[in-house]
Amino acid sequence: MSTVSQPANRPEQPPPATVTDTGAAPGPAAGPDPAGDRHRLTALQGLAALSLDAMASVAYGPESIVLVLAAAGAYGLGFTLPVTLAIAALLAVLVASYRQVIVAFPNGGGSYAVAKTHLGRRSALIAAASLVLDYILNVAVSVTAGVAALTSAFPGLYADRVWICLAVLVLVTAINLRGIADSARAFLLPTAVFVASIMAMIVVGLFRDAPASTATAAGHASVLAQNATSVGALLLLKAFASGCSALTGVEAVANAVPSFRAPATRRAQRTEVALGALLGVMLIGLSLLIGRFHLQPVEGVTVLAQLADASLGHNWAFYVVQFATMVLLALAANTSFGGLPVLMGLLARDNYLPHVFGLKADRQVHRHGVLALAAVAAALLVFSGGDVNTLVPLFAIGVFVGFTLCQAGMVRHWHRERSAGWLGKALLNGFGAVLTAAAAVVVTATKFAEGAWLIVIALPLLVLSFEAVHRAYGRIGDRLGLGRVPDPPRRARSLVVVPVSHLSLLTGEALNAAVSMGDEVIAVTVTYGTEERPGVEALRRDWELWNPGVDLLELPSPTRSLGRPIASYVRDLTDRRPDARVTVLIPEAEPAHLWQRVLQNQRGAVVAHAIRRDTDAVICRLRFRLAP
């Protein structure tokens, strides 16, 4: 069964290339695309579109370290800088690794592409599933964190936080549906303001001998443990793992290489390095300020707010930092919208997701991936009630799994390639794999009871779903004979069935098309009983007066069904004429205005559904466009 649509009263145009639902998914586009290049990213735009997650993590990464080390008192806080330096070293390893991933896998996919090539199918699916979960949770966490900052400044909005979260999500989704380049331009200013304000805060703070203000923390209870004089290795490892939440988003650039302008790999590498440099400087700078001002974590006030207060004073500059942080946290979801749809497109190409996710709109947007991400994130926002603390325990576990598989895959890459300096590069990636694997284990173990068990369950379920889709496409491919040469085409006698209910220009266009495409044409009309007999007889008289040279056959319907009598007749016709090709041509009027479509009776859709469900006939839906 196939479906064809031919517009009426309009010159025939060559059909555009499409992807079928059951055919092989498309590969990367061949050749340059100058027209579409303007909808792709420059290095600076890539920094705005794909780094918001990583940039915004400086708002909660250092705080995660401090809150863990606070269990060891003021002595424990003295290890903030060493732990941060270890995270910065891991960041450098990851940036160096992903620069190589960008060159080795220019079609994007990041951890998924590396694992697929060097670690096998199952590892690749685990990497893909972990990234999918991380991207989805990043949207929910970023939006709720941004809205939490807003409701902290304006407590009256707290009761409406779920609706505000959904409104922010709709805004980010709408911007991304216009194209990743447009979203990058929209987010350039907030990103620049945030980076500039954090850098200014660090520079000013480093020149101060004492805090400019402590008004923000005044009156808030300290969460610092008292009388602790030692720090265990497990506590340091836990602090390291918690602080590694600042590394989420580092992989987004490698996942979205095809979104960059040519030369895409070079621009993506520049973006990756710039992201790593900015993130590293901000993390280390904030850690230095924590030690310089002997900051103590307090309830109800973020570490970043205390640092802004201490460096800049409790004035307009303090509120600029807070507002920029709030905006960037809310918009950090854009990283997921830039990376996940590309990853879903690659999974669709490999038959692990429905092929519709591999389609692009005219602005180089994976529209279905964007909408699917928004729908799942909206469900999470409603489920969590807009509470960031409900979602944070689930966050960042998946990305560490992806990091580990990517690093391990790159070790195999260097071992196989054995290019100049391969051993040093392999050792670097191997060291990174050990660190990220340890972080994944520690984060999962320490947050298991807080909700991480959901990720432990969801990850294998998602992998099983990928495999189920892959098996389904395999069965469809076998039935279609994909990869096998079909028999030579042979001509069969063509029978065209045209459902009609009245005489009109639409009927005339339908019969014109039918006699042009078929050897034999039969018009059918469904009759419902004696009360409507006068209308049927009037149609019969008009038909005979018109005399189109096509017989009109009446199909009685005692149950007043429209589609079933036509489908039953087509099925009987196919049984009686097995040597003929039966086509059902369904004429439909297409209104000049979109709002007028609600006035249509949908008879064509009803008939098409019945024919598709009950027969193997070809369906042709002829659109007769009504002039304005």
Side-chain angles (χ1 to χ4, degrees), residues 68-73 75-77 79 83 228-240 442:
V68 172
L69 294 177
Y75 182 76
L77 290 180
F79 288 86
V83 171
T229 58
S230 64
V231 177
L234 183 60
L235 185 67
L236 289 176
L237 191 59
K238 184 178 179 181
F240 171 80
V442 172

Side-chain angles (χ1 to χ4, degrees), residues 206-477:
L206 290 176
F207 281 96
R208 289 192 183 278
D209 295 325
S213 170
T214 58
T216 304
H220 293 267
S222 173
V223 298
L224 195 67
Q226 302 297 326
N227 303 321
T229 58
S230 64
V231 177
L234 183 60
L235 185 67
L236 289 176
L237 191 59
K238 184 178 179 181
F240 171 80
S242 296
C244 279
S245 61
L247 302 181
T248 58
V250 172
E251 78 291 345
V253 176
N255 287 337
V257 178
S259 298
F260 284 86
R261 294 181 186 177
T265 54
R266 191 179 306 167
R267 291 183 189 274
Q269 283 186 310
R270 291 173 183 170
T271 302
E272 186 73 55
V273 171
L275 168 59
L278 285 174
L279 182 57
V281 168
M282 287 192 289
L283 288 175
I284 295 173
L286 293 176
S287 177
L288 288 171
L289 292 186
I290 290 171
R292 190 174 188 82
F293 296 136
H294 305 290
L295 181 142
Q296 296 185 10
V298 298
E299 295 179 355
V301 179
T302 65
V303 168
L304 191 63
Q306 291 187 64
L307 290 177
D309 200 24
S311 296
L312 304 174
H314 203 75
N315 49 34
W316 63 269
F318 167 82
Y319 288 102
V320 168
V321 174
Q322 292 303 100
F323 183 74
T325 303
M326 177 192 71
V327 172
L328 206 75
L329 277 168
L331 299 182
N334 195 66
T335 298
S336 295
F337 283 100
L340 181 58
V342 175
L343 175 62
M344 293 175 74
L346 292 176
L347 287 168
R349 187 191 65 186
D350 294 336
N351 295 334
Y352 291 111
L353 281 179
H355 288 167
V356 69
F357 291 113
L359 300 178
K360 282 187 179 182
D362 55 359
R363 290 175 174 264
Q364 301 298 318
V365 181
H366 290 86
R367 181 172 296 167
H368 297 89
V370 169
L371 292 174
L373 173 58
V376 177
L380 274 176
L381 291 174
V382 174
F383 168 76
S384 67
D387 180 19
V388 67
N389 293 322
T390 304
L391 297 169
V392 165
L394 312 179
F395 190 43
I397 296 174
V399 75
F400 288 127
V401 175
F403 281 162
T404 303
L405 290 172
C406 184
Q407 300 275 347
M410 290 306 292
V411 172
R412 294 285 299 274
H413 173 78
W414 298 126
H415 183 264
R416 291 177 179 176
E417 188 178 85
R418 293 181 178 268
S419 58
W422 73 271
L423 184 59
K425 295 175 182 177
L427 289 174
L428 185 66
N429 288 131
F431 180 62
V434 171
L435 290 180
T436 53
V441 171
V442 172
V443 172
T444 303
T446 55
K447 297 183 178 181
F448 188 84
E450 301 175 34
W453 59 271
L454 284 173
I455 302 300
V456 175
I457 294 174
L459 190 61
L461 287 179
L462 198 53
V463 171
L464 292 176
S465 299
F466 291 156
E467 293 183 328
V469 172
H470 191 72
R471 286 194 299 270
Y473 273 126
R475 289 192 294 268
I476 292 171

Side-chain angles (χ1 to χ4, degrees), residues 1 27 86 89 240 361 372 392 398 464 508 542 562 600 611 613:
M1 179 198 71
F240 171 80
V392 165
L464 292 176
D542 293 342
L562 174 63
Q600 291 180 286
I611 299 297
R613 181 189 59 203

